[in-house]
Amino acid sequence: MLAGCSILPAAGPLGVDVNGAAASTVSGTESDRLPYAVVDITPDALRVIPDRAQGAFSGRFTDRRPAPTLTVGIGDTVAVSIFEASAGGLFIPAEAGSRSGNFIQLPPQEVDRQGNISIPYAGVIPAAGRTIRQVQNLIEERLRNRAIEPQAVVAITDRRSAQVTILGDVGSSRLTLNPLGERILDVIARAGGTKFAGYEMYVSLQRGKERATITFNQLLSSPADNVFVLPSDTIYVFRQAPTFLVFGATSQQGQIFFEKENLSLSEGLAKIGGLIDTRSDPDAVFLFRLEDRKTAQSLGVDLAKLGHDKTVPIVYRTKLRDPANMFVTSGFQMRDRDIIYVANSQSVDWLKFISFINSNVSFATNVATVPDIGRRTATTRLVTTGGSLTSTP
């Protein structure tokens, strides 16, 4: 009879099925059937489980140096002024001694694809990859034997090589980095800031072949993740409202929006109308999540049975028949894309099975009576007596 229950319709597995199929169960039995772990939500577990996912810029972009020193790059436009100590030199003729200022201003020029600029009497100057001070020193060295104590002043009027691209829900634009150095939040602020609530926003940083994505609120709360932006970086800011999925014996199923920054498991259950009193098993409330390996190891999960991916599947379990767990679930913070599943009580399957048997017995009884009814109908004839119809066997 129990085997027959497996053919009955259901919204998902029973609690015993979820617990029994786990590859590793903390505070429970062990099995080698499926690669996931079941972990009880306890006060000790809450001290280990982080409130948010641990993806971070600081772990992916590990450059801890100060703000990068911006150098002259290909495509930059530079302006060069050359000073001489007195008139009568290379650039300032003797008859110009009364002029205001003993210098000349060269026309602005763009650093070519080879990274060079051209200075009269100094020739081709390799500027790309050098600081402004280094370019000035190189020009002065080239003119030292021709001009009178030459001094060069180089200024970048259009810095195209030190730009960063920012896209998404902040207004798409290309911004030139400040030579003092700018972090991600500085660039986002210059682009106009975010348009939606911080808990709905994500920030993605692309640098070469490396890419990482974190929530905007994590970027605000973690100074280590607010890394310096480098030239040619791409920042993408986008909105993705956090949601969780609900299945099983609850008053509401489907995709549910958080609609707030922090949402506990107890708040999530209340948001969907709670458990169905006539169907649910309060000792079989589960939350499915992909957890990072470090957290899983801290929870005592046997990682050898769960593969070698960066994240491992964890099924968090709570038993709401115990009133103390009402407090525990209030401290368990949900994350985007969590899945809540509430299993049916085993008695529900018994009722389904009994109903299934009754319906089949009733159907068989009805079918068995059809030949008898047909036989009696076939032997009945209508007789007209005195203008009225009567039935006669």
Side-chain angles (χ1 to χ4, degrees), residues 101-383:
N102 53 340
F103 69 92
I104 62 168
Q105 177 74 49
L106 300 180
Q109 58 181 306
E110 185 178 288
V111 181
D112 62 24
R113 288 185 175 273
Q114 287 70 42
N116 302 322
I117 59 175
S118 180
I119 304 297
Y121 304 106
V124 175
I125 303 295
R130 300 175 186 268
T131 65
I132 291 178
R133 172 59 64 184
Q134 291 171 335
V135 175
Q136 291 176 169
N137 292 339
L138 184 56
I139 294 173
E140 292 169 2
E141 182 180 350
R142 295 278 186 91
L143 296 176
R144 182 168 291 116
N145 296 327
R146 297 189 177 190
I148 302 174
E149 298 181 18
Q151 298 290 322
V153 175
V154 178
I156 299 178
T157 59
D158 185 7
R159 191 185 291 274
R160 299 179 183 177
S161 65
Q163 292 185 327
V164 59
T165 302
I166 183 164
L167 306 169
D169 293 320
V170 291
S172 301
S173 62
R174 284 181 60 84
L175 302 176
T176 300
L177 292 177
N178 191 314
L180 295 177
E182 292 183 282
R183 298 181 182 270
I184 294 180
L185 288 177
D186 299 327
V187 174
I188 292 176
R190 285 180 57 194
T194 60
K195 300 178 180 179
F196 304 99
Y199 68 89
E200 295 183 349
M201 303 300 295
Y202 284 78
V203 180
S204 178
L205 175 61
Q206 179 83 40
R207 178 175 296 169
K209 296 181 179 180
E210 292 289 330
R211 181 179 181 180
T213 302
I214 64 174
T215 64
F216 183 76
N217 279 0
Q218 182 178 349
L219 189 60
L220 289 174
S221 60
S222 176
D225 290 321
N226 190 24
V227 297
F228 280 107
V229 178
L230 302 182
S232 300
D233 280 355
T234 299
I235 300 172
Y236 178 47
V237 182
F238 60 98
R239 183 190 187 193
Q240 182 176 297
T243 62
F244 64 97
L245 301 179
V246 184
F247 303 101
T250 58
S251 299
Q252 181 181 353
Q253 292 84 35
Q255 186 178 39
I256 311 297
F257 287 90
F258 276 38
E259 296 180 337
K260 59 181 300 186
E261 181 173 357
N262 298 312
L263 188 74
S264 68
L265 177 56
S266 59
E267 289 175 318
L269 291 172
K271 194 175 182 65
I272 59 177
L275 280 58
I276 298 178
D277 182 60
T278 56
R279 282 181 48 196
S280 63
D281 180 0
D283 285 345
V285 179
F286 304 100
L287 186 138
F288 292 72
R289 173 186 295 174
L290 290 175
E291 195 68 84
D292 66 275
R293 298 184 70 87
K294 181 179 179 182
T295 301
Q297 185 176 17
S298 301
L299 290 169
V301 174
D302 186 0
L303 296 179
K305 300 179 179 180
L306 299 177
H308 302 283
D309 294 335
K310 294 181 180 179
T311 57
V312 294
I314 301 291
V315 178
Y316 291 105
R317 174 180 61 192
T318 186
K319 299 180 179 181
L320 295 182
R321 289 189 189 275
D322 184 354
N325 285 336
M326 295 291 185
F327 295 100
V328 178
T329 55
S330 295
F332 185 93
Q333 297 300 313
M334 297 185 62
R335 298 185 200 157
D336 186 25
R337 300 183 184 180
D338 279 350
I339 300 175
I340 292 178
Y341 175 70
V342 180
N344 280 344
S345 173
Q346 294 189 45
S347 62
V348 174
D349 278 356
W350 275 105
L351 294 175
K352 287 181 181 179
F353 184 72
I354 293 171
S355 177
F356 176 77
I357 295 298
N358 287 337
S359 63
N360 280 275
V361 170
S362 176
F363 175 76
T365 302
N366 292 336
V367 170
T369 61
V370 169
D372 182 63
I373 295 173
R375 184 171 58 254
R376 286 181 294 168
T377 302
T379 57
T380 300
R381 59 191 179 88
L382 296 177
V383 179

